[in-house]
Amino acid sequence: MQKRDNNTKNDYICSSNHKKLKSVKIFEVVNALEKFAPLLLQEDYDNAGLQVGLTETEVSGALLCLDVTEEILEEAIQRGCNLVVSHHPLIFRPLRCVSDRNMVQRCVTKAILHGITIVSMHTNMDNAPGGVNGKIAEKMGLRHVSLLAPKQVGEMTGGSGVIGELASPMPSMDFISMVKERFEVECVQTNQILQKKIAKVAICGGAGAFLLGDAIAAGADAFVTGEMHYHEFFGCEQVIQICVIGHYQSEQFTSELFQSIIEERCPGVRCCLAKTHTNPIIYL
């Protein structure tokens, strides 16, 4: 990342692909993201896609993040980005009014006042081949990666979670240490240490406990996810090594995924990985 010589509010060149090419409109970026992860792949409860704003405007810059907060929008303003692409939707439930009563309403108001469009790629990006879970697998160096729970939606194939193989089997404690290092986590919640080497790993970013049974059925030696409930740890002793690393931590590289999609399919768009840390959970 290079510092600009002038003193404008766009203080940083956010990606190396900053040569001036043809202008790109916001809807073209949205279309590129949705082509990679079609909205039909999202879960029924979700609200992925356009959240706030207009799409016919030329993109001045895209701020890529996990969550939309007032601080994220302020960063977008300071860095000259009129598009925010998040993983988690800002608007998850219908709004009865837009005022300043809560964070979501304040963010909607702030985005509209500053001409910022917000787009979220949530469970559609989770369920897309090569999506969020594929990125996690890439960070862990897994090979022969495939969908853990594939499903067919019309003519599209997607699914929850992925499973793959380590380059070489490793003891459970070494595996846990590797996970802590790759994801820079303070701690890992785990069950009884598995007394065999780990070779096959199942992954689900975010809240992935619903895939634990699939991971066991697929013969995984370890299951890495973002969060699980207390009682879900029982009954897996010496069956599978559970590694719970935190919701935010498990999905933190999703912004890099957004960047690669946009830079490949919309050359010339300035992509900025958000510097604002939005994890609301603090480890003391």
Side-chain angles (χ1 to χ4, degrees):
M1 185 175 286
Q2 296 175 309
K3 191 79 162 59
R4 285 188 186 271
D5 291 332
N6 57 14
N7 193 27
T8 65
K9 67 180 179 180
N10 295 334
D11 288 333
Y12 294 90
I13 297 172
C14 302
S15 63
S16 58
N17 186 15
H18 60 273
K19 293 188 295 185
K20 183 65 177 177
L21 302 176
K22 75 176 185 68
S23 63
V24 179
K25 293 190 175 181
I26 289 175
F27 77 83
E28 296 178 82
V29 177
V30 176
N31 288 346
L33 290 165
E34 291 184 1
K35 186 173 182 180
F36 182 93
L39 292 180
L40 284 176
L41 291 178
Q42 73 176 310
E43 301 296 335
D44 293 341
Y45 61 81
D46 202 7
N47 185 42
L50 180 65
Q51 305 283 296
V52 178
L54 306 176
T55 61
E56 288 289 340
T57 308
E58 182 179 340
V59 183
S60 63
L63 185 69
L64 314 176
C65 59
L66 200 61
D67 310 286
V68 180
T69 64
E70 292 169 89
E71 293 78 15
I72 282 286
L73 290 173
E74 187 59 36
E75 181 177 347
I77 294 166
Q78 293 303 318
R79 299 176 78 174
C81 297
N82 64 350
L83 172 62
V84 170
V85 180
S86 71
H87 181 45
H88 298 135
L90 171 65
I91 303 173
F92 206 78
R93 297 176 180 84
L95 297 178
R96 294 185 178 275
C97 69
V98 177
S99 64
D100 60 353
R101 292 182 181 177
N102 56 46
M103 187 195 76
V104 173
Q105 293 183 26
R106 290 193 296 272
C107 284
V108 170
T109 302
K110 190 179 186 80
I112 292 172
L113 286 174
H114 292 274
I116 296 173
T117 298
I118 302 172
V119 175
S120 301
M121 298 284 114
H122 192 211
T123 53
N124 56 316
M125 192 62 72
D126 289 329
N127 293 335
V132 174
N133 295 304
K135 190 67 178 178
I136 297 170
E138 176 190 315
K139 291 293 182 179
M140 293 178 62
L142 299 190
R143 306 183 302 178
H144 312 302
V145 177
S146 60
L147 292 168
L148 177 59
K151 64 179 179 180
Q152 196 74 19
V153 182
E155 298 182 356
M156 295 176 292
T157 300
S160 303
V162 297
I163 188 165
E165 299 173 2
L166 294 168
S168 58
M170 63 175 64
S172 290
M173 285 302 299
D174 291 348
F175 175 77
I176 294 169
S177 295
M178 181 270 287
V179 170
K180 289 179 68 174
E181 185 271 326
R182 297 284 170 87
F183 293 88
E184 298 183 354
V185 296
E186 294 89 345
C187 63
V188 172
Q189 289 183 314
T190 188
N191 56 344
Q192 187 182 89
I193 300 302
L194 201 65
Q195 298 303 308
K196 68 172 184 176
K197 288 189 174 181
I198 291 174
K200 203 170 185 180
V201 181
I203 294 168
C204 183
F210 69 100
L211 285 176
L212 180 59
D214 295 87
I216 294 170
D221 303 306
F223 179 57
V224 179
T225 189
E227 57 180 276
M228 284 177 54
H229 293 298
Y230 173 81
H231 293 285
E232 293 166 330
F233 283 82
F234 284 102
C236 298
E237 298 80 9
Q238 298 308 314
V239 175
I240 192 169
Q241 192 73 67
I242 297 171
C243 295
V244 177
I245 63 176
H247 197 122
Y248 179 95
Q249 291 87 340
S250 70
E251 297 179 330
Q252 63 184 292
F253 302 113
T254 304
S255 296
E256 295 180 13
L257 176 62
F258 292 154
Q259 182 178 23
S260 63
I261 295 169
I262 295 170
E263 290 187 346
E264 177 186 348
R265 303 184 182 210
C266 299
V269 172
R270 184 171 62 92
C271 290
C272 302
L273 298 178
K275 298 177 181 178
T276 303
H277 187 77
T278 60
N279 189 2
I281 300 172
I282 298 173
Y283 296 82
L284 298 176

